[in-house]
Amino acid sequence: MSIGSDEIIKLMKKCGIEFSERRVLKNADLTEMLDSLDMANLLLALEENYNILIPDEKIKDIANISAMVDFINSKS
Amino acid sequence: MIGLQAISCYIPEGWDDNREKLEVFGIDHDFLINKIGVIKKPRKSATEETSDMCVKAYKALAKKIPVEQEAIDCIVVCSQNPDGHGLPHVSAIVHGKLGLKDRVAAFDISLGCSGYVYALSVITSFMKENSLRMGLLFTADPYSKIINNDDKNTSLLFGDAATATLLSEDPVYCIERSSFCTRGKDYRSLICENGTLQMNGRAIFNFSATCVPPQVKDLLNASGYTLEDIDIFIMHQGSKYILDTLSKRLKLDPQKVPSNLLNTGNTVSSSIPLILQNYMNDTQTRKIVISGFGVGLSWATSILNRI
């Protein structure tokens, strides 16, 4: 089953991350928008939620929500 | 029964103020307070050695309660930043500076943020096995010796401090049960290389968030307790973000998770006893969980019972 942007948004909220939903949906670069701690928290939540591994070198390729969604769907 | 009778600490008078680094590191006050959680960190003087910090923690202990120095028969120092190059062991230097008798067992334990939990278990077991009656456990790991002040990952976090815990047959708290874990394959995540501390922040966050809560839960389950049976959870003070994450994952009432990060920072193996000392005279606090985690990677949790 494929996921959409809304699942990622929900996960970010569940993690307690404060963010502009509008900017996220406009594909802002999350590594610039979030601080390093929130970014680490989000990546761990993605890994745990979708049972995937996100290596450090992959982060720059999935730094916006569209790329993140595509990456997760490609793994499931 | 050997257990913890008293705890004292030494906090150096020098300070390093994180507010002066906001611009250099491109961070704001909100991030500093709500994520890092450290405003200023104590810093030892350049000439002050690890053993000196232990001696000052002992002097604070002797002011707090009468310590019969002649009766001390065991001292342990937990540190990975010893005097000089670590030879001789710090505990021997402390033994000499305190002018203790020859018939004293003295050894060091090389562990970081899990060190206090490990060392408590080691010293109590060692004392019981060898019929020793009065021991001193010191923690002193001044990371200022290895911090690169230009490294945003580490220079905002770590503070210098030392603690002294008196172990005796007249305890306030005793260890009920402990759990110890190691993940050596990830040792490079927090490492001192070429004399400088390097930390992979994401790896350390993942490790803390995923390894510590199951250990705490498993230990409580194995002991027949629920989270509600514990009065206070003293977690290693890694950062405010880590503490908040652990509280959230364990579903703990934040009131049960004390913190002293704001003005001491992460003091490595001293972070747990620095907080624990505040509960030694609190007779309402019966059952405490202490949990340390960090370099190794290593994590350890104990349940302490008030006697």
Side-chain angles (χ1 to χ4, degrees):
Chain A
M1 199 177 76
S2 60
I3 68 152
S5 300
D6 49 340
E7 274 93 341
I8 307 283
I9 298 280
K10 270 187 210 164
L11 202 56
M12 290 174 77
K13 288 178 180 169
K14 194 178 163 193
C15 288
I17 298 170
E18 290 178 12
F19 61 98
S20 155
E21 198 167 324
R22 189 179 58 83
R23 284 184 65 197
V24 171
L25 290 171
K26 279 191 163 185
N27 273 335
D29 186 328
L30 295 177
T31 58
E32 289 175 10
M33 197 178 129
L34 305 180
D35 62 55
S36 57
L37 291 166
D38 279 341
M39 193 64 199
N41 198 358
L42 172 60
L43 292 168
L44 177 60
L46 292 171
E47 288 185 332
E48 290 183 324
N49 219 53
Y50 300 108
N51 197 24
I52 56 173
L53 279 177
I54 306 174
D56 286 346
E57 56 275 17
K58 187 73 189 167
I59 297 170
K60 64 179 188 326
D61 300 330
I62 59 165
N64 65 65
I65 195 162
S66 297
M68 216 168 251
V69 167
D70 291 344
F71 176 73
I72 292 163
N73 286 333
S74 74
K75 296 284 177 186
S76 55
Chain B
M1 185 187 289
I2 299 286
L4 300 81
Q5 185 185 341
I7 302 175
S8 65
C9 70
Y10 165 65
I11 308 283
E13 287 177 3
W15 296 94
D16 184 25
D17 196 322
N18 280 345
R19 289 168 294 195
E20 292 165 7
K21 296 183 168 183
L22 296 178
E23 199 176 336
V24 179
F25 287 144
I27 57 174
D28 58 28
H29 194 257
D30 182 62
F31 178 81
L32 185 64
I33 301 299
N34 295 315
K35 301 283 178 72
I36 302 291
V38 182
I39 291 182
K40 56 181 188 172
K41 301 100 52 182
R43 284 283 181 267
K44 71 175 191 65
S45 71
T47 55
E48 197 170 27
E49 264 304 353
T50 306
S51 59
D52 297 325
M53 296 172 70
C54 295
V55 168
K56 287 171 186 170
Y58 173 77
K59 285 183 177 166
L61 183 74
K63 273 188 187 167
K64 207 177 239 186
I65 62 159
V67 182
E68 197 187 337
Q69 196 159 309
E70 273 295 302
I72 295 167
D73 46 21
C74 178
I75 64 174
V76 171
V77 174
C78 182
S79 184
Q80 291 185 321
N81 284 284
D83 291 31
H85 296 286
L87 197 161
H89 42 300
V90 183
S91 50
I93 302 172
V94 173
H95 175 274
K97 287 182 177 176
L98 291 179
L100 299 179
K101 64 188 180 189
D102 285 354
R103 203 176 179 82
V104 174
F107 59 95
D108 290 2
I109 292 180
S110 171
L111 279 165
C113 304
S114 64
Y116 187 70
V117 183
Y118 262 94
L120 260 188
S121 190
V122 170
I123 192 171
T124 51
S125 306
F126 181 81
M127 287 175 69
K128 280 178 201 167
E129 178 65 23
N130 296 290
S131 303
L132 305 178
R133 301 177 68 179
M134 189 170 285
L136 292 171
L137 167 59
F138 294 98
T139 59
D141 212 346
Y143 266 33
S144 62
K145 288 186 179 185
I146 54 168
I147 289 285
N148 170 4
N149 287 320
D150 298 327
D151 180 5
K152 182 178 157 187
N153 272 344
T154 55
S155 76
L156 297 171
L157 282 174
F158 295 98
D160 296 339
T163 69
T165 300
L166 179 66
L167 287 299
S168 77
E169 293 173 316
D170 184 20
V172 175
Y173 287 104
C174 282
I175 300 171
E176 178 176 337
R177 197 170 187 143
S178 304
S179 173
F180 307 98
C181 292
T182 308
R183 186 170 291 169
K185 71 181 173 65
D186 293 333
Y187 76 92
R188 297 198 66 82
S189 303
L190 187 54
I191 190 168
C192 183
E193 279 189 316
N194 302 318
T196 305
L197 185 71
Q198 321 271 345
M199 181 172 79
N200 178 333
R202 184 189 173 204
I204 293 298
F205 174 78
N206 286 356
F207 153 66
S208 309
T210 59
C211 293
V212 177
Q215 185 182 54
V216 171
K217 283 184 193 169
D218 290 349
L219 182 65
L220 293 180
N221 284 339
S223 309
Y225 298 130
T226 65
L227 293 168
E228 288 69 36
D229 293 322
I230 305 300
D231 296 311
I232 292 290
F233 292 81
I234 304 178
M235 315 301 283
H236 165 60
Q237 306 285 294
S239 70
K240 185 172 187 303
Y241 203 87
I242 291 282
L243 282 175
D244 290 347
T245 299
L246 295 179
S247 296
K248 204 179 287 182
R249 284 180 171 240
L250 281 164
K251 297 186 173 62
L252 299 178
D253 174 357
Q255 298 292 321
K256 280 189 168 188
V257 189
S259 174
N260 65 353
L261 270 171
L262 210 58
N263 291 314
T264 56
N266 174 345
T267 53
V268 198
S269 51
S270 294
S271 75
I272 291 172
L274 276 177
I275 294 179
L276 183 56
Q277 66 174 341
N278 301 328
Y279 294 91
M280 298 302 284
N281 295 323
D282 178 5
T283 53
Q284 299 299 306
T285 305
R286 311 295 310 174
K287 212 172 276 296
I288 298 178
V289 161
I290 57 173
S291 186
F293 46 90
V295 62
L297 301 172
S298 167
W299 62 114
T301 300
S302 289
I303 300 168
L304 305 181
N305 274 329
R306 180 172 282 272
I307 302 303

